[in-house]
Amino acid sequence: MNVLKCAAIATTMAFSLGSVPASADICLGMACMYNRMTPIQGIDATLGEINQALEAIKLRNSGGAADEGKAGDEVIIGNIKEALKLTKEINANDKLDRNRNRANGYLKKAREAVQAGDLPKATEDLKEAERRFAELKGMIELTQEDRVSQQTNLLNRMMGTPDAAAGARK
């Protein structure tokens, strides 16, 4: 009887493990919700949406879409919302994340300005957001000094990479 129970459990486990497809496309956890592109690609995509919003404002100001009214605002707001969604792809480290959140604040201010009908203020905020997102590219790569200061002797012993300057304070 005991052997029969063990066989039944082993068979059940084999079938349950075999029912999950073992493909490379399986992604588990919250990280899979957003990580469809690299941080640089996320920055470029965000800058593209900001540029589209600026072009829509420029078109609206030139009179090309003056008769659209709220419909023209919805296009601009849609571009800003899409840019905010794309910023979730930009995640490399904590420093970058803090600065990304600050740049997001300008996108949110621009959206509020468009909703209030203040297109010059929205243009200012979008240009500031564009400048801040462009600066994020330089923050992705750590400088050599940052790498040295983050290394410890224990890490170097574990990895087998002796470095006399590791953990050195200035």
Side-chain angles (χ1 to χ4, degrees):
M1 189 68 175
N2 200 10
V3 172
L4 188 59
K5 285 182 186 177
C6 289
I9 290 173
T11 306
T12 305
M13 287 178 59
F15 281 125
S16 67
L17 291 174
S19 65
V20 176
S23 67
D25 293 342
I26 292 178
C27 191
L28 303 172
M30 293 294 289
C32 300
M33 289 176 60
Y34 302 117
N35 296 341
R36 294 174 298 200
M37 57 181 77
T38 65
I40 293 285
Q41 291 171 337
I43 292 170
D44 289 338
T46 302
L47 289 173
E49 286 296 326
I50 292 172
N51 285 331
Q52 286 182 3
L54 286 169
E55 290 297 320
I57 289 175
K58 191 182 296 182
L59 179 68
R60 178 92 188 272
N61 285 339
S62 68
D67 57 335
E68 289 182 15
K70 285 290 183 188
D73 289 347
E74 292 303 320
V75 171
I76 299 167
I77 291 172
N79 287 335
I80 295 172
K81 284 182 179 179
E82 187 62 30
L84 283 167
K85 284 182 191 175
L86 288 169
T87 63
K88 294 176 183 173
E89 299 286 338
I90 306 169
N91 52 359
N93 56 36
D94 291 340
K95 181 180 178 182
L96 184 80
D97 194 46
R98 282 191 305 272
N99 287 298
R100 178 188 60 86
N101 283 332
R102 289 179 185 139
N104 277 353
Y106 284 97
L107 286 175
K108 291 174 184 176
K109 287 178 187 177
R111 183 181 62 200
E112 291 169 3
V114 170
Q115 289 170 344
D118 189 5
L119 293 181
K121 174 73 172 133
T123 304
E124 278 180 33
D125 290 334
L126 283 172
K127 286 183 180 179
E128 180 64 21
E130 182 180 33
R131 184 186 67 78
R132 287 179 179 252
F133 278 110
E135 287 176 355
L136 290 181
K137 285 185 181 181
M139 292 182 196
I140 290 179
E141 289 295 322
L142 286 174
T143 64
Q144 188 60 34
E145 291 175 6
D146 290 337
R147 289 186 183 137
V148 168
S149 69
Q150 291 176 1
Q151 288 179 343
T152 64
N153 292 327
L154 176 64
L155 256 173
N156 286 329
R157 283 196 309 256
M158 289 169 50
M159 295 172 54
T161 56
D163 185 8
R169 302 202 189 256
K170 295 180 180 169

